[in-house]
Amino acid sequence: VVMTGSESMSALFGGFSYSDGVVQGNSVTMEDGIVGREVMGGYSYQGNAVGNVVVIRGGRVDMDVIGGASGHGNATDNQVVIAGAPVLMADVYGGSVETASAAAINNTVTLATDAGAHLENRTIYGGFRYLPGNQGTGDVVSGNTLNVEAAHVAVNNIANFEKVNFHLNNAAVTDIPVLELLDTGGTQLQGVTIDASGTIAGGGEPLANGTRIALVGNDNGIVADATLSETTGTLRQGVSLDYGFRLESDGQRIDAVLNRVQVNPGTGVFQKGRGATLGFLNEGMDFARMTGIANAMELSESG
């Protein structure tokens, strides 16, 4: 289902079942227009919602955006992508369920490179249970992943993710976090694995050890595991410099702190190519020199 015009709809579903059938592999793309209620990739009242996709690039959604939802089954492997500047009047869920024992796992939400507008009051959930207090025995966390590709995006909060991946594209070295969280109640990130990859901005000079790239921030507090500091990885500047980093949290921010710099091993290809060229030039010069000497000797003997 693709919604591209400026029309209005009461709700937008990629697939729907009121029976026990699996609602699977549906997709919804919204470019413009107004949806007065929910946008869902797929909904099954009795069965499972599996592998459905929602992409929101523009327009306005007055209620929830949900990758896949189930009334009495599970919601797994669904995706939501937020891009552009849609106006979202409610929250975003990778997957949602409505019974205590149901699972909403292995769902993905992606905040794409141009996402960022009109999300300040929205909470992004990997999985969710529509029961008071989100209580129940079913798993709504495992395998749920948040991908942050935007240079900077502000949302109210994030919840029920097992992983948060930052895919950086020339990330700025500033005090402004890539993912800025505004919830006055703070943010709970216990058990969440945070990773970063991609490139960081900078001139030709290497960045100093200890340089910080702010990944997550909430001025009202972030509670994270102590083992967060054990997370390490590599970021690249240009094509030649690789920086190792570790994660550090001060209770309000989580930063990638650069602690190692090395030349990208792949740039050895350029060095080898340059050496090969010099080798050919040297061989050519040697050949020309030897040929010239031989010719001169021949002329001298014939004279």
Side-chain angles (χ1 to χ4, degrees):
V1 178
V2 180
M3 183 174 177
T4 59
S6 58
E7 70 269 22
S8 297
M9 300 182 67
S10 59
L12 187 59
F13 291 80
F16 183 92
S17 173
Y18 198 77
S19 68
D20 59 358
V22 175
V23 174
Q24 184 172 6
N26 301 284
S27 66
V28 171
T29 299
M30 183 175 176
E31 304 278 356
D32 198 358
I34 298 174
V35 176
R37 291 182 58 83
E38 302 91 347
V39 174
M40 293 190 190
Y43 178 83
S44 179
Y45 181 67
Q46 297 285 351
N48 298 327
V50 181
N52 303 286
V53 179
V54 173
V55 180
I56 308 289
R57 293 196 177 98
R60 191 184 84 197
V61 183
D62 288 344
M63 293 184 70
D64 298 332
V65 174
I66 307 173
S70 176
H72 295 275
N74 302 316
T76 62
D77 300 292
N78 302 287
Q79 297 184 53
V80 176
V81 178
I82 305 297
V87 178
L88 306 183
M89 305 301 291
D91 296 327
V92 177
Y93 306 84
S96 69
V97 293
E98 299 175 24
T99 59
S101 60
I105 61 174
N106 298 327
N107 301 291
T108 302
V109 178
T110 298
L111 302 176
T113 54
D114 52 353
H118 313 298
L119 297 175
E120 294 88 350
N121 296 316
R122 309 282 70 89
T123 295
I124 314 296
Y125 294 90
F128 190 79
R129 189 186 335 276
Y130 279 99
L131 288 176
N134 196 22
Q135 296 298 309
T137 58
D139 190 350
V140 295
V141 176
S142 294
N144 293 328
T145 301
L146 175 64
N147 295 319
V148 181
E149 299 175 357
H152 170 258
V153 58
V155 303
N156 179 59
N157 217 337
I158 61 173
N160 295 342
F161 289 101
E162 185 177 52
K163 304 174 185 176
V164 178
N165 296 325
F166 288 87
H167 303 293
L168 304 178
N169 183 13
N170 285 326
V173 181
T174 70
D175 290 333
I176 301 175
V178 176
L179 178 61
E180 186 176 2
L181 306 173
L182 306 173
D183 194 330
T184 57
T187 299
Q188 303 292 322
L189 294 179
Q190 295 101 322
V192 179
T193 298
I194 297 176
D195 194 13
S197 61
T199 61
I200 54 180
E205 294 298 320
L207 299 173
N209 280 351
T211 298
R212 293 175 175 268
I213 298 172
L215 297 179
V216 188
N218 187 335
D219 290 342
N220 301 292
I222 293 176
V223 179
D225 295 327
T227 55
L228 181 75
S229 60
E230 299 172 7
T231 302
T232 60
T234 303
L235 296 170
R236 179 162 295 171
Q237 181 186 7
V239 298
S240 60
L241 294 178
D242 285 347
Y243 295 92
F245 69 83
R246 67 179 183 277
L247 294 185
E248 288 187 2
S249 176
D250 64 0
Q252 291 182 315
R253 286 190 358 181
I254 296 173
D255 294 343
V257 183
L258 306 186
N259 61 0
R260 185 182 70 256
V261 60
Q262 65 183 29
V263 175
N264 170 20
T267 58
V269 173
F270 300 111
Q271 298 294 337
K272 291 176 182 178
R274 193 174 297 121
T277 301
L278 290 173
F280 285 129
L281 288 174
N282 289 335
E283 288 179 8
M285 292 172 65
D286 289 343
F287 177 78
R289 185 165 56 248
M290 295 304 296
T291 300
I293 292 172
N295 290 339
M297 290 177 65
E298 288 178 6
L299 288 172
S300 176
E301 291 174 358
S302 65

